[in-house]
Every structure is written in structure tokens, then in C-alpha cells.
């Protein structure tokens, strides 16, 4: 029976609690920690947990016998908590975004290796039936080489969203919607399509004058072979329609699932290709529906990896690649230049200090709310 602790008992914590509770024969939540311990007490009561409450994560690590720690604190704390947990011999599941800088990601990956412990980064949208099926379709390569990818990571958050004390700042949130919202789709994009060789991006803040960071960004990725990708990250899109579209030489496929295939007429105009559409649809349908989707799906993956001593789907390297793309978007937009990947340690945005020194502020943060009374949140990921 794996003993689990959760550090940070705010908005996302219940998703972790509910997920662990779905696997009662594999794990038990034994400890909760928050700098506001009354929030941890409330979670303990709400879910009727037999868990110790701590107000300091180092005390939890030192005093409680645990195998796996979920880190659900703000991004600027992820690296320290993860590294200290790994060095104390615990496995770690850290919420997205992995950390505030590539330097921190590298130190986290190193700590995982050094201690031979699992470091997994939350990317729960991979663990959805449509995404897993689309991944399989792409692996068949039936649609030919991919020429263009469109990532629409559209979210909507009101002005007050950035009033929470740690949000909207380079120091504590680490970035805006590109980092904290589009991270889900950028993760899936790099998992399905691989890393481009260069990024050119523009960021802006159109409706949140209480945030230093962007509320929209548009990035273009270019691959060695000339194929392009466009990634839009936004918290100003009503309806939060989210999609990934892959245009292959012979067909397009996407999540939400849609397929269209064409061949060329003698004059170059398109002819429908229903046979290929049928093959692609069969490939999509050949994959089973997931039993557990979202956080429960990823937590099942982490528990299985620990128990069966096998790799996790989303490890530290994967988390780092996603942050590398996001960092490249920020660097490109900040300096209004195309950035070549992979980013090196010489990148002005490789370290947290570099980002804090160099990142332009759209606005300065005014109001700062300690905690919202309405604690319910949504996490997107409806791809049917
Ligand atoms: N996967 C998803 O879909 C998803 C959705 C929302 C948030 N998140 C991520 O989860 C993390 C937390 O976000 P949230 O919305 O729950 O924020 P939140 O502010 O509601 O909760 C964070 C909690 O951590 C506590 N905390 C801060 N510093 C701490 C420390 N040093 N030690 C112990 N506790 C500490 C805070 O008091 C707070 O209760 C962020 O990284 C965020 O990006 C992920």
C-alpha cells in the first residue's frame, strides 16, 4: 500500500484527492500540507481522510513516512519542494507547469535520476480517450507527412482571476496563459508532433490590466523540413473551444475528432478520398476507451509505474520539453526575434533570474486576494 501526501491544498488539490481515492487497494492519503493549515484541515474533513496535517512541507518530509508526494502548490515553489522530496527518497507527481525555468527543470530531472525515483509532471489531458486515440492515428502515419499543425488552446478567465496573490506575476506564476493554461495543449502538441527547430512568437495582454504577464500569445513553430505549426494560447476566448488539428499530405485529423482526406485531380483541385477517411476512422475506433480519464488516469499511471517499476508516460524530460517550447515563445516575443531550439544555458530565459530581469511587464499587479471564497474550478479537456 503506497502512502501518499499532498502538498498544497488549494483549488486543484481535490482532483488529486478524488483520484487517489479511486485506487484504495493501491494507495492511501496519509498527510496533507498547506501554509494555510486550515485549508488542509478542510480537505481532510470534506473527504473524511485519516491524514496528518502539516503547515510546513519540510516537516512533512522529515516526519511522515510517505512513498509518493503530489505537489499542488504555485509554480515558483515546485522545484524546491520536488527536489527536497526526491532527495528524501519520495516519488513525486508535480502539478503543471513543471517549474518556473528550464534551470529548475534540469535540477528536478537530475534529482529524480540521482535518487532513482519517479518524477512525473501533471498533463492530465493526455489521459483522455480522444487524445490517446488521436495519438494512435498519428502513429499509423496513414495521413502522410505532417505539413501543418494548429493548436488552439482557448480558455477564458475574468479580470479577478489574476487578483489571487501569486497569479499574474513573473516571480510566482512564472508566466501567463501560455505557461499556465496552454501548457496542457503544448504538452500534447510536442508529444504528438515532436519539437520544432525554431519558434517565432508575439504575446499581448488585452484584458487583464492587473497582470504583468500575457493573456494571449500566438506562436509559429518551424520544423527542419519546413513544416509549420501555429500555437495560440489565450484566456480571452469565450466558450473555451480547444483543438489540435494535424494536416498531413493526404489527410487531416484532429481532436475533437474529425477526418478529411483528399487526392488531387488532374488540375490540382481536391477530390474526396473516402477510402483513406475510412482507414483513419477505423484506426481511431480500434483503440479502447480509457477506464480512467484526466487526473485519475495520470495517477493510475504513476501508481502502476511505482508498483510495477516501469516508466511513467509523462516524466521530467517530457515536462521539461513542454517548458522549453513555452520559454522559447516568451524569449521570442520578448526580444521580437526568432529563437532556435534546443534552447541552451546561454538563453537569457534559461534561469528564473534571467526571466525576472528580462521579461517585460504588460501591467503591474494591483489587488492581491489571499484566497477566493468560491473554490470551484474547471480544468478544460472536453474533446468530444
Ligand atoms: N492540472 C490542472 O488542470 C490544473 C488546474 C489548476 C491549477 N493547476 C496547478 O496547480 C498548482 C496550484 O494551483 P491552484 O489553482 O490549486 O492554486 P491555489 O492557490 O488554489 O492552491 C495552492 C495552495 O498551495 C498553498 N501553498 C503555497 N505555497 C506553499 C508552500 N510553500 N507549502 C505548502 N503549501 C503552499 C497555498 O496556500 C494554496 O492553498 C499550480 O501549479 C497550478 O498551475 C493545475
Amino acid at each position: 500500500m503506497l502512502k501518499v501526501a499532498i502538498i498544497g491544498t488549494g483549488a486543484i488539490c481535490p482532483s488529486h484527492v478524488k483520484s487517489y481515492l479511486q485506487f484504495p487497494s493501491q494507495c492511501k492519503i496519509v498527510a496533507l500540507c498547506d501554509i494555510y493549515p486550515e485549508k488542509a484541515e478542510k480537505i481532510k474533513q470534506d473527504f473524511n481522510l485519516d491524514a496528518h496535517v502539516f503547515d510546513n512541507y519540510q516537516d512533512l518530509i522529515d516526519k511522515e513516512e510517505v512513498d509518493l508526494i503530489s505537489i499542488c502548490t504555485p509554480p515558483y515553489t515546485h522545484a524546491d519542494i520536488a527536489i527536497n522530496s526526491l532527495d528524501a527518497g519520495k516519488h513525486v507527481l508535480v502539478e503543471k507547469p513543471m517549474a518556473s525555468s528550464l534551470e529548475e527543470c534540469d535540477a528536478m530531472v537530475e534529482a529524480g535520476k540521482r535518487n532513482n525515483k519517479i518524477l512525473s509532471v501533471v498533463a492530465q489531458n493526455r489521459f483522455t480517450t480522444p487524445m490517446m486515440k488521436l495519438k494512435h492515428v498519428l502513429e499509423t502515419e496513414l495521413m502522410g507527412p505532417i505539413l501543418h499543425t494548429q493548436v488552439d488552446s482557448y480558455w477564458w478567465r475574468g479580470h479577478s482571476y489574476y487578483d489571487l496573490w501569486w497569479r499574474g506575476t513573473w516571480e510566482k506564476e512564472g508566466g501567463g496563459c501560455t505557461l499556465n493554461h496552454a501548457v496542457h495543449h503544448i504538452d500534447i502538441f510536442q508529444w504528438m508532433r515532436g519539437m520544432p527547430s525554431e519558434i517565432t512568437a508575439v504575446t499581448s495582454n488585452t484584458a487583464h490590466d492587473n497582470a504583468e504577464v500575457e493573456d494571449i500569445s500566438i506562436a509559429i513553430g518551424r520544423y527542419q523540413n519546413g513544416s509549420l505549426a501555429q500555437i495560440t494560447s489565450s484566456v480571452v476566448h469565450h466558450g473555451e473551444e480547444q483543438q489540435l488539428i494535424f494536416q498531413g499530405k493526404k489527410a487531416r485529423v484532429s481532436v475533437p475528432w474529425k477526418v478529411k482526406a483528399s487526392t488531387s485531380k488532374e488540375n490540382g483541385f481536391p477530390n474526396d478520398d473516402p477510402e483513406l477517411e475510412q482507414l483513419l476512422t477505423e484506426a481511431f475506433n480500434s483503440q479502447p476507451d480509457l477506464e480512467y480519464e484526466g487526473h485519475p488516469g495520470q495517477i493510475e499511471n504513476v501508481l502502476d509505474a511505482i508498483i510495477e517499476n516501469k516508466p511513467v508516460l509523462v516524466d521530467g524530460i517530457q515536462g521539461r520539453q513542454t517548458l522549453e517550447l513555452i520559454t522559447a515563445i516568451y524569449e521570442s516575443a520578448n526580444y521580437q526575434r526568432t529563437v532556435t531550439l534546443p534552447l541552451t544555458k546561454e538563453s537569457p530565459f534559461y534561469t528564473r533570474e534571467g526571466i525576472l530581469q528580462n521579461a517585460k511587464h504588460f501591467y503591474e499587479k494591483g489587488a492581491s486576494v489571499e484566497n477566493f471564497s468560491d473554490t470551484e474550478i474547471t480544468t478544460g479537456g472536453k474533446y468530444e
Side-chain angles (χ1 to χ4, degrees), residues 70-303:
S70 266
I71 301 175
C72 301
T73 52
Y76 75 101
T77 66
H78 289 181
D80 280 351
I81 301 178
I83 292 167
N84 289 333
S85 302
L86 290 162
D87 281 342
K90 323 294 181 197
H91 300 287
V92 165
L93 172 62
V94 61
E95 260 300 342
K96 61 79 189 163
M98 180 167 168
S100 327
S101 71
L102 289 174
E103 183 184 44
E104 290 178 349
C105 292
D106 285 340
M108 290 161 79
V109 169
E110 184 49 41
K113 273 197 212 144
R114 173 164 78 231
N115 297 291
N116 199 20
K117 293 291 162 200
I118 284 172
L119 168 64
S120 187
V121 183
V122 172
Q124 83 272 14
N125 287 283
R126 281 197 197 187
F127 295 84
T128 57
T129 294
M131 287 301 175
M132 289 292 176
K133 289 186 174 191
L134 183 68
K135 171 76 172 156
H136 172 73
V137 170
L138 292 167
E139 281 168 355
T140 66
E141 297 183 0
L142 281 166
M143 75 274 257
I146 293 168
L147 311 179
H148 177 253
T149 310
Q150 181 178 335
V151 181
D152 293 342
S153 192
Y154 295 166
W155 306 76
W156 193 90
R157 293 292 179 268
H159 191 268
S160 60
Y161 180 80
Y162 287 105
D163 287 343
L164 191 67
W165 59 277
W166 57 267
R167 287 203 190 119
T169 62
W170 285 103
E171 188 201 350
K172 293 191 166 65
E173 190 170 5
C177 59
T178 317
L179 179 69
N180 288 294
H181 292 81
V183 64
H184 292 292
H185 300 111
I186 293 174
D187 166 73
I188 291 168
F189 163 71
Q190 65 89 7
W191 175 50
M192 292 188 178
R193 182 68 189 94
M195 296 288 276
S197 54
E198 60 185 50
I199 288 281
T200 312
V202 178
T203 57
S204 189
N205 182 322
T206 56
H208 297 87
D209 63 8
N210 50 347
E212 297 168 6
V213 295
E214 83 288 356
D215 63 11
I216 187 163
S217 72
I218 300 178
I220 297 166
R222 190 175 187 282
Y223 289 80
Q224 291 290 2
N225 68 1
S227 101
L228 296 181
Q230 70 189 70
I231 306 167
T232 308
S233 313
S234 163
V235 282
V236 299
H237 276 65
H238 298 274
E240 304 194 326
E241 283 163 278
Q242 301 167 356
Q243 59 178 354
L244 282 99
I245 307 173
F246 296 86
Q247 297 283 351
K249 203 162 181 183
K250 300 183 204 163
R252 66 84 87 192
V253 290
S254 63
V255 159
W257 175 247
K258 188 173 150 191
V259 57
K260 186 75 205 166
S262 342
T263 54
S264 180
K265 289 188 194 175
E266 183 267 334
N267 65 0
F269 280 69
N271 252 337
D272 289 348
D273 185 351
E275 290 82 20
L276 182 53
E277 286 176 8
Q278 177 68 23
L279 283 176
L280 287 160
T281 305
E282 281 167 15
F284 187 83
N285 291 334
S286 70
Q287 296 304 296
D289 287 0
L290 297 190
E291 191 178 352
Y292 298 102
E293 291 196 295
H295 277 89
Q298 181 155 11
I299 280 176
E300 178 191 33
N301 180 257
V302 172
L303 294 173

Side-chain angles (χ1 to χ4, degrees), residues 299-311:
I299 280 176
E300 178 191 33
N301 180 257
V302 172
L303 294 173
D304 285 351
I306 297 172
I307 293 165
E308 295 165 30
N309 196 19
K310 61 183 193 186

Side-chain angles (χ1 to χ4, degrees), residues 51-64:
H52 294 130
V53 166
F54 293 85
D55 62 4
N56 177 313
Y57 83 85
Q58 197 58 54
D59 281 352
L60 183 155
I61 292 173
D62 293 343
K63 293 181 189 155
E64 190 76 40

Side-chain angles (χ1 to χ4, degrees), residues 297-357:
Q298 181 155 11
I299 280 176
E300 178 191 33
N301 180 257
V302 172
L303 294 173
D304 285 351
I306 297 172
I307 293 165
E308 295 165 30
N309 196 19
K310 61 183 193 186
V312 287
L313 180 64
V314 194
D315 59 13
I317 305 282
Q318 286 282 300
R320 186 206 187 277
Q321 278 191 186
T322 300
L323 198 78
E324 185 176 359
L325 272 177
I326 293 166
T327 305
I329 291 172
Y330 284 144
E331 193 176 310
S332 170
N334 201 67
Y335 296 102
Q336 298 182 311
R337 65 182 182 218
T338 296
V339 168
T340 306
L341 296 176
L343 284 185
T344 65
K345 291 187 178 173
E346 278 63 55
S347 155
F349 277 29
Y350 176 76
T351 62
R352 191 155 175 260
E353 294 69 38
I355 295 170
L356 294 183
Q357 263 167 31

